[in-house]
Amino acid sequence: MTGFALFDTVPDGDRRGMRTNTVRATCSHMDPDEYTPIRETRRTADVRTPLTLEYDLPAVMDEVLGRESATCEACQETVHHPVGGDLEDGEPFVIRDIVDNVYNIENRVLLCHSCANRPTDAWKADVCAKRVRERDHPPTWRDYVAYWLSDPTATSLFARRMAGCLVGLVVLLALVASITGVVGALSDTVATGWAWARVVVTAASEVSSTLVAHPWIVGGLVGVGYTTHTVERIRYDPRGYCSREHRPWVILLLAGVTAGIGALGLLSLSTGLLPATPLAQLFTAIVWLLGAAGVAWYVDLSIRHDLAIGIWRPARGWWMIAGRVGLLPGLVAIVAGIPFSSVVAPTTTGFLAAIPAGVALAFVGLRLPYDSQARDAVLNVLPEWMLTVLTDDRRRD
């Protein structure tokens, strides 16, 4: 694992006779020229995200000034806190971000006016070198494990946690089998110990075989795990959204339409409207998977975008769970089929596959009244008679 940074605080120290809390950056290599600054933030960071309306810029400026004792992090020259907003009596300071789209104290850098006018790569290199010098010890294996399993902004965090759980289960199984074997050997004979250890391994194999034979149980466990992961992650996720020009909800809409077309195709295959040839099934499943994966990815981007620009305030956790966990029923139904096929209708696969499309269309539809530009664009393409119906107060009543 290379190129990451962990941020924490070190004990108070004196700099120029002033008390300060310095920031320690632990990274996977020591070369300041190659040091990659904060890209993902530990859950222990002081997160102030605009998604919860707690990101108070004046308070952040005061904290950064206090942390650095009003000293430029790039050149270590003292800057002056302006009184009453008047910058003429002292050298103005600037607070910049090391990495865009991360809203916390550690990502903020205090610069003097001169360093702020230097090339960005130059002052970043000086800041990173300073933070490397302030590091009190190289990262330990515990730091790597904590980073790997707890970073709240990584797109692969759920996969990391799933891999960690699987590795933990394997290690636990090996430990239990070893202890059982040792106890059996000490209480009777070595052969008894081997027999006891084999019983533990056999029982674990039977459980694994049962799970593999029942993919809906696995899907349910993954869904519960991802729901728990999402609820916990959102509490500590400091990300906002960078660009106001990009409209991820447009791509979410297109992905929802694609997933809807795929679900409609699956429904048509199950009802006999389309010939259920292997090629048609494969093509329909691929179309649906592309759309559903697009919904799962862009639903979070769309929510963060709308929250960051203040259009409306959707419940991020519920929408993410619906968009991402909602992909599982259709996926499992396509791959493994529907359980209790003698009871459940064959069209169930198509209806389950329609969940991602329903989530995407519902999100776009609910945000439409809050987005004046999108709403006006829709109204401009409606026929005149439909506009008359929509705007007629008597008909509306």
Side-chain angles (χ1 to χ4, degrees):
M1 183 187 308
T2 59
F4 70 88
L6 301 176
F7 290 83
D8 204 343
T9 56
V10 297
D12 295 346
D14 291 331
R15 184 195 303 142
R16 306 170 187 267
M18 305 179 71
R19 187 175 181 273
T20 179
N21 287 330
T22 57
V23 174
R24 182 186 74 231
T26 47
C27 63
S28 57
H29 45 74
M30 301 293 292
D31 187 356
D33 295 332
E34 298 180 357
Y35 169 66
T36 302
I38 172 177
R39 295 234 179 244
E40 298 169 340
T41 309
R42 290 182 64 185
R43 69 176 62 203
T44 53
D46 184 8
V47 175
R48 297 176 180 270
T49 163
L51 305 184
T52 56
L53 298 180
E54 295 177 357
Y55 192 72
D56 184 356
L57 181 58
V60 171
M61 293 172 65
D62 288 339
E63 288 197 39
V64 175
L65 282 167
R67 182 190 70 196
E68 298 302 329
S69 295
T71 302
C72 174
E73 280 206 80
C75 67
Q76 283 73 58
E77 294 294 330
T78 300
V79 299
H80 302 282
H81 197 310
V83 178
D86 184 10
L87 300 180
E88 296 180 358
D89 295 335
E91 185 179 12
F93 64 88
V94 178
I95 294 180
R96 295 280 175 83
D97 292 334
I98 298 179
V99 176
D100 292 335
N101 197 30
V102 173
Y103 300 93
N104 56 40
I105 304 300
E106 290 83 350
N107 194 42
R108 290 290 191 174
V109 177
L110 176 66
L111 300 174
C112 65
H113 183 70
S114 299
C115 288
N117 289 326
R118 294 166 58 197
T120 301
D121 292 341
W123 66 255
K124 280 187 178 181
D126 290 341
V127 171
C128 293
K130 167 184 171 292
R131 294 187 175 185
V132 167
R133 290 193 301 270
E134 291 174 347
R135 183 175 52 221
D136 59 349
H137 63 81
T140 64
W141 67 270
R142 295 183 182 87
D143 296 324
Y144 287 110
V145 172
Y147 167 82
W148 198 76
L149 293 177
S150 65
D151 154 51
T153 63
T155 55
S156 60
L157 179 57
F158 182 63
R160 295 178 181 184
R161 288 177 168 175
M162 291 293 292
C165 289
L166 292 176
V167 172
L169 287 175
V170 172
V171 172
L172 179 62
L173 173 63
L175 183 62
V176 171
S178 301
I179 293 176
T180 303
V182 170
V183 171
L186 293 176
S187 62
D188 194 359
T189 62
V190 174
T192 301
W194 279 110
W196 288 11
R198 283 196 300 270
V199 169
V200 174
V201 174
T202 301
S205 300
E206 291 176 354
V207 172
S208 301
S209 301
T210 302
L211 292 177
V212 172
H214 297 82
W216 283 94
I217 297 179
V218 177
L221 294 175
V222 173
V224 171
Y226 188 80
T227 300
T228 306
H229 157 81
T230 301
V231 172
E232 185 273 339
R233 174 178 176 176
I234 289 174
R235 288 187 57 195
Y236 300 100
D237 190 350
R239 296 175 302 167
Y241 197 85
C242 291
S243 175
R244 292 175 179 265
E245 290 76 21
H246 296 166
R247 295 178 176 84
W249 61 270
V250 175
I251 304 179
L252 176 66
L253 176 61
L254 295 177
V257 171
T258 303
I261 293 173
L264 184 60
L266 293 171
L267 190 61
S268 300
L269 290 172
S270 62
T271 57
L273 296 177
L274 291 177
T277 62
L279 182 60
Q281 293 175 344
L282 178 62
F283 178 78
T284 305
I286 291 175
V287 171
W288 174 84
L289 183 59
L290 291 175
V295 171
W297 179 259
Y298 278 96
V299 66
D300 186 34
L301 298 180
S302 301
I303 296 168
R304 285 174 24 221
H305 172 268
D306 287 354
L307 289 172
I309 66 178
I311 284 186
W312 69 309
R313 300 192 61 79
R316 186 182 176 201
W318 290 111
W319 284 107
M320 283 186 62
I321 292 171
R324 295 185 172 179
V325 178
L327 179 147
L328 283 175
L331 183 62
V332 177
I334 292 174
V335 174
I338 298 293
F340 311 110
S341 55
S342 59
V343 179
V344 179
T347 56
T348 303
T349 298
F351 289 114
L352 292 176
I355 294 176
V359 172
L361 297 177
F363 181 88
V364 175
L366 289 175
R367 76 177 300 280
L368 187 61
Y370 301 94
D371 190 341
S372 57
Q373 294 182 351
R375 183 184 65 239
D376 293 343
V378 172
L379 293 177
N380 289 335
V381 300
L382 292 178
E384 188 66 29
W385 66 268
M386 189 175 295
L387 289 176
T388 302
V389 172
L390 293 175
T391 56
D392 190 340
D393 291 338
R394 290 172 299 176
R395 290 180 179 271
R396 188 180 308 166
D397 295 337

